Amino acid sequence: MGIQITPSVLNADLSRLADEVARIPSADWVHVDVMDNHFVPNLTLGLPVVESLARHSALPIDVHLMIEDPDRWAPAYAEAGVGSVTFHLEAAAAPVRLARELRAQGARASMALKPATPLEAAEGMLGELDMLLLMTVEPGFGGQKFLDLVLPKIRRARELVSRSGLELWLQVDGGVSAETIGRAAEAGADVFVAGSAVYSGEDPDAVVRELRDLAHAASLTQ
């Protein structure tokens, strides 16, 4: 698939969600952050809104569940027609079983790691996943500063994926902008969540295209 840009609607005008998604036709996915005010200290959108957006969006939905008990709740998002469902390793009781259930429901299965969670905790499960999300900020709030300390983890993840021959996407989320996306792409990430950087611009779709070009150029230096 190459480089993919997945704008987060967390920083969009949530009262006009479908219209905001229509402003980013060049995006590969729409990233929706679901927070429960328990796993992270914030509360955002839930299943009914995601279901509605999935019906009205021309772009596939990439849901990031920052919630407790994803084993119970994540499959419903796959049933709702979401294209990719990400759950946190730190919150899942049975991550392999959950990944298999998401795939059985027709969604891509993705697992996220917080910045301090070691890559080794997920290494044995990569074959069960379609995407691995390495958080480049602490999950819970948009607009945070990109944590360069995650770059070595991204490089190790890329090496693992390359050695294994898996067709696994490597996503980063948090502080992604024109100033930081090159570093993440050079380290080996190929799917990029960008929220504030996209929706703070006068032309969000132009930002999407710029980010893709910057990431592509940086990825050629790997």
Side-chain angles (χ1 to χ4, degrees):
M1 289 290 291
I3 299 298
Q4 299 183 72
I5 306 297
T6 66
S8 169
V9 296
L10 184 62
N11 297 101
D13 182 350
L14 298 181
S15 70
R16 303 173 57 251
L17 196 51
D19 292 336
E20 291 286 75
V21 170
R23 299 175 68 199
I24 51 169
S26 296
D28 298 284
W29 297 77
V30 178
H31 188 85
V32 181
D33 293 300
V34 175
M35 308 182 195
D36 63 358
N37 200 31
H38 294 286
F39 180 71
V40 293
N42 201 356
L43 185 66
T44 59
L45 310 176
L47 182 59
V49 174
V50 173
E51 286 178 321
S52 179
L53 184 60
R55 290 195 300 269
H56 293 93
S57 173
L59 297 172
I61 308 298
D62 169 33
V63 166
H64 179 190
L65 300 178
M66 288 172 268
I67 63 174
E68 291 183 349
D69 200 7
D71 305 75
R72 176 182 178 185
W73 300 110
Y77 287 86
E79 293 171 9
V82 166
S84 178
V85 180
T86 299
F87 60 90
H88 269 264
L89 173 61
E90 302 89 354
V96 170
R97 183 175 64 193
L98 178 55
R100 291 178 178 178
E101 187 171 357
L102 292 173
R103 283 175 156 180
Q105 294 286 356
R108 296 181 63 85
S110 172
M111 187 165 69
L113 305 182
K114 293 181 179 182
T117 301
L119 180 63
E120 290 73 17
E123 185 175 351
M125 293 177 271
L126 296 183
E128 302 289 342
L129 303 172
D130 299 294
M131 184 167 73
L132 179 68
L133 167 55
L134 299 180
M135 293 296 298
T136 43
V137 298
E138 289 296 333
F141 294 93
Q144 297 185 66
K145 184 179 179 180
F146 183 92
L147 295 175
D148 284 277
L149 59 83
V150 182
L151 290 173
K153 185 195 290 190
I154 298 171
R155 292 190 180 94
R156 294 198 305 274
R158 175 51 60 197
E159 291 168 1
L160 277 174
V161 171
S162 297
R163 285 203 309 266
S164 66
L166 296 171
E167 294 184 6
L168 182 73
W169 298 350
L170 185 55
Q171 186 180 63
V172 291
D173 180 1
V176 173
S177 67
E179 290 71 39
T180 61
I181 196 169
R183 300 201 293 276
E186 186 277 331
D190 53 15
V191 185
F192 304 87
V193 178
S196 301
V198 171
Y199 279 105
S200 63
E202 291 185 9
D203 184 348
D205 202 52
V207 178
V208 169
R209 296 192 299 271
E210 178 191 13
L211 291 175
R212 184 181 289 108
D213 289 344
L214 290 169
H216 177 70
S219 70
L220 298 178
T221 66
Q222 288 184 40

